[in-house]
Amino acid sequence: MLEIPVIRWGQPYESLEKAEVVHFETGEKLADIHQANGGLVKMDMRKAHKAREALKKIDIYELVEMCAKAGDLYMNATLPLGNGTQTPEEFCKIQSASTGLPENMCAGNMHKIAFVLKNMKEILDALTRGLPLEILQKGYGMEDRGVMVSYQATSPTLGLVLPSNSPGVHTLWLPCIPMQIGLVLKPGSSEPWTPYRMASAFMEAGIPGEAISLYPGPHDVGGAVTEECERVMIFGGQATVDKYASNPNVQVHGPGFSKILLGDDVVDNWESYLDLMVDSVLANGGRSCINASAIYASRHTNEIADALAQRLAKVEPTLMSDPNAQLAAFANPDVAQAMNDQIEDGLKEGSVTEVTAKYRNGDRLVKHERHAFLKPTVVHAADPSATLANTEYMFPFVSVVECPQAKMIKTIGQTLVCTALTDNEAWSAELVNAMNIDRLNIGEVKTVQLNWLQPHEGNIVDFLFRSRAFQNQPPQAVH
């Protein structure tokens, strides 16, 4: 039986407490995961400074090369895992078995992670706006334009409280290692596989284990990571976002509420954007914060909703091993039941209609003994204030909302990704200035098409480093 230890600054640690990870369909035990506790995390954080010290012994450009090597290992190698080893194929199978994510999506997320690792030099160049990396390493230096600059690390480590729903989010913290910032990882309970495999790939590539800790465990572990680390990245729901909204040391990644807006100048041609809309809703099983949860237009909304419903209603649950699987399972059927009940409650509002029901084969909720599926759901909302017009779920769910273009920017609320389909330059300028939109696409870009050379929900370089004044000689006199 696979047994996975806690990792304390690169060293395996066996705990008296263990938790089982089981197959979501059969209940078969997949692995025993040793459990950390909050006290262990607090004890280890006394040595957090040594994580950065270990990385600073290696040249930053060498660390970038090690990341590229780690990307290749992560994608292709048989890597150590606990008391055994794991091939890439075994990784996809066990990740799918514990999370309900189809194996093809697990493989797709592996490709994303490997791509970021292999292209780390270009990504860091983009995120630092062309800063010579030795300046981050030394703390100061001369820019190409002849100006002295200084950047100071705000923490020796980045603490991460990781989710179980979408492995693709792990791409966000990969730049830490080449920037010589250690990692303190609290893996998701049903998806420890990605952080463990990434840590193994890093260490096999030559990155010092002293820079990496993994603390699987109950909620108090996440609390300790958040309290003890000076910079923390957390993934959670809206309640988590609200809890840490005023804490500058915590970067929260919550619901995306990502949207597509059709401008009045192109909406009469909406059919040409149908593929873009379907893919934005359906990609990765609808589990990502970058999936479109609402589509806004001033007219043709009934036709748009109907066309989307006809396309999405064809998507059915299938085997996790099916290379064409498009729906993820809910490993906890009660979660799917609760979402289904919320949708039914939302449909009681007079301004909201479900459009997929007349095209779908059977019920939205497909419940099994140990797991469940929710089939794609399209609703039409004549009123933008309707509950379902402002809701996001972890499956392909989208509201087609009728709203005048002049009111869209204000009405959509906080939005992680906004794809605006328009050639209207005046409206485009308003969208550029909209503070409630994080990632903005103007033109035919799916909400799920990310450019890795651009920051995602806050620049991790700005989060982990502060710019400050630095002089090592008097300034020239100003006449």
Side-chain angles (χ1 to χ4, degrees):
M1 175 54 60
L2 192 59
E3 200 162 306
I4 301 173
V6 175
I7 303 293
R8 304 172 68 186
W9 304 127
Q11 296 301 312
Y13 170 80
E14 295 185 357
S15 167
L16 293 175
E17 297 291 328
K18 301 176 189 177
E20 293 183 354
V21 182
V22 302
H23 196 295
F24 79 93
E25 289 176 305
T26 65
E28 171 198 357
K29 184 161 79 168
L30 301 169
D32 279 318
I33 311 270
H34 287 260
Q35 300 290 283
N37 58 52
L40 187 73
V41 174
K42 291 178 180 180
M43 187 190 313
D44 286 359
M45 286 308 102
R46 297 171 188 167
K47 299 178 181 178
H49 62 284
K50 293 186 177 181
R52 180 157 165 78
E53 288 171 6
L55 290 169
K56 283 187 70 74
K57 290 176 183 176
I58 304 171
D59 182 79
I60 197 164
Y61 290 101
E62 190 176 344
L63 287 171
V64 168
E65 291 302 314
M66 288 178 177
C67 282
K69 184 179 178 183
D72 182 61
L73 290 166
Y74 180 83
M75 194 70 222
N76 302 305
T78 298
L79 293 173
L81 177 64
N83 62 346
T85 59
Q86 187 184 66
T87 66
E89 294 76 21
E90 289 168 338
F91 169 83
C92 288
K93 283 187 180 299
I94 202 166
Q95 185 183 71
S96 174
S98 67
T99 64
L101 201 66
E103 290 174 23
N104 68 342
M105 295 184 194
C106 296
N109 283 309
M110 285 189 81
H111 281 281
K112 290 179 192 174
I113 288 166
F115 176 87
V116 172
L117 287 168
K118 290 177 182 179
N119 292 276
M120 188 60 72
K121 185 177 185 298
E122 292 78 9
I123 288 169
L124 284 176
D125 185 64
L127 294 179
T128 62
R129 306 170 186 92
L131 189 75
L133 295 183
E134 59 268 21
I135 293 177
L136 286 185
Q137 179 167 290
K138 192 176 180 181
Y140 66 93
M142 197 71 75
E143 281 188 320
D144 295 340
R145 60 196 172 110
V147 175
M148 178 69 75
V149 295
S150 175
Y151 288 88
Q152 182 181 48
T154 53
S155 173
T157 61
L158 177 65
L160 293 126
V161 182
L162 298 169
S164 290
N165 61 308
S166 183
V169 301
H170 298 295
T171 52
L172 300 181
W173 49 268
L174 294 178
C176 286
I177 290 292
M179 292 192 297
Q180 301 170 317
I181 303 291
L183 293 170
V184 179
L185 308 170
K186 195 276 182 191
S189 57
S190 62
E191 209 286 279
W193 320 114
T194 302
Y196 269 91
R197 185 170 180 84
M198 288 170 70
S200 188
F202 277 141
M203 287 186 255
E204 289 288 306
I207 287 161
E210 303 97 293
I212 302 171
S213 286
L214 292 103
Y215 298 107
H219 289 303
D220 76 308
V221 174
V225 168
T226 306
E227 289 172 22
E228 297 296 320
C229 294
E230 294 167 61
R231 285 290 185 271
V232 184
M233 189 182 288
I234 293 181
F235 299 82
Q238 192 58 44
T240 305
V241 174
D242 295 340
K243 180 178 180 180
Y244 294 104
S246 60
N247 187 339
N249 299 331
V250 179
Q251 189 181 88
V252 187
H253 296 266
F257 301 110
S258 297
K259 302 175 182 78
I260 296 171
L261 312 184
L262 284 92
D264 286 348
D265 58 320
V266 302
V267 70
D268 294 336
N269 194 30
W270 63 266
E271 289 171 291
S272 64
Y273 306 115
L274 190 57
D275 286 347
L276 179 150
M277 292 187 276
V278 168
D279 291 348
S280 294
V281 173
L282 187 59
N284 202 41
R287 283 203 168 185
S288 303
C289 55
I290 57 176
N291 284 110
S293 60
I295 297 169
Y296 279 66
S298 62
R299 55 186 183 270
H300 303 302
T301 51
N302 283 300
E303 297 99 307
I304 294 168
D306 194 78
L308 282 170
Q310 289 187 54
R311 290 276 296 273
L312 291 170
K314 296 175 183 176
V315 177
E316 292 280 345
T318 185
L319 296 174
M320 293 295 104
S321 57
D322 182 347
N324 298 311
Q326 293 178 290
L327 283 185
F330 287 88
N332 183 344
D334 294 337
V335 171
Q337 180 72 63
M339 289 184 185
N340 193 63
D341 292 345
Q342 287 177 9
I343 293 168
E344 290 301 318
D345 286 342
L347 290 170
K348 293 174 184 174
E349 296 180 26
S351 63
V352 182
T353 309
E354 182 181 357
V355 192
T356 17
K358 60 185 174 183
Y359 299 113
R360 188 174 54 227
N361 179 25
D363 295 333
R364 179 190 309 111
L365 176 65
V366 180
K367 203 169 182 182
H368 299 272
E369 183 183 356
R370 299 187 58 90
H371 69 285
F373 288 92
L374 285 168
K375 295 183 182 180
T377 299
V378 179
V379 303
H380 178 267
D383 181 355
S385 66
T387 303
L388 290 179
N390 299 280
T391 307
E392 177 178 292
Y393 292 111
M394 285 197 307
F395 77 104
F397 174 92
V398 65
S399 303
V400 180
V401 184
E402 190 172 313
C403 179
Q405 178 184 294
K407 295 183 178 180
M408 282 184 194
I409 294 175
K410 184 177 180 181
T411 304
I412 61 174
Q414 201 61 40
T415 299
L416 174 57
V417 184
C418 174
T419 288
L421 300 167
T422 185
D423 294 316
N424 182 327
E425 291 187 8
W427 194 43
S428 296
E430 289 181 48
L431 288 158
V432 168
N433 291 327
M435 297 299 291
N436 56 322
I437 296 172
D438 198 340
R439 302 186 72 109
L440 176 62
N441 305 322
I442 295 180
E444 295 185 46
V445 182
K446 300 168 189 176
T447 62
V448 294
Q449 289 178 306
L450 301 187
N451 181 344
W452 298 109
L453 301 182
Q454 298 206 357
H456 179 81
E457 212 173 351
N459 187 328
I460 193 169
V461 180
D462 295 340
F463 186 52
L464 293 176
F465 289 84
R466 75 180 186 108
S467 173
R468 63 174 181 174
F470 178 90
Q471 296 176 180
N472 54 9
Q473 61 184 20
Q476 290 184 352
V478 179
H479 299 286

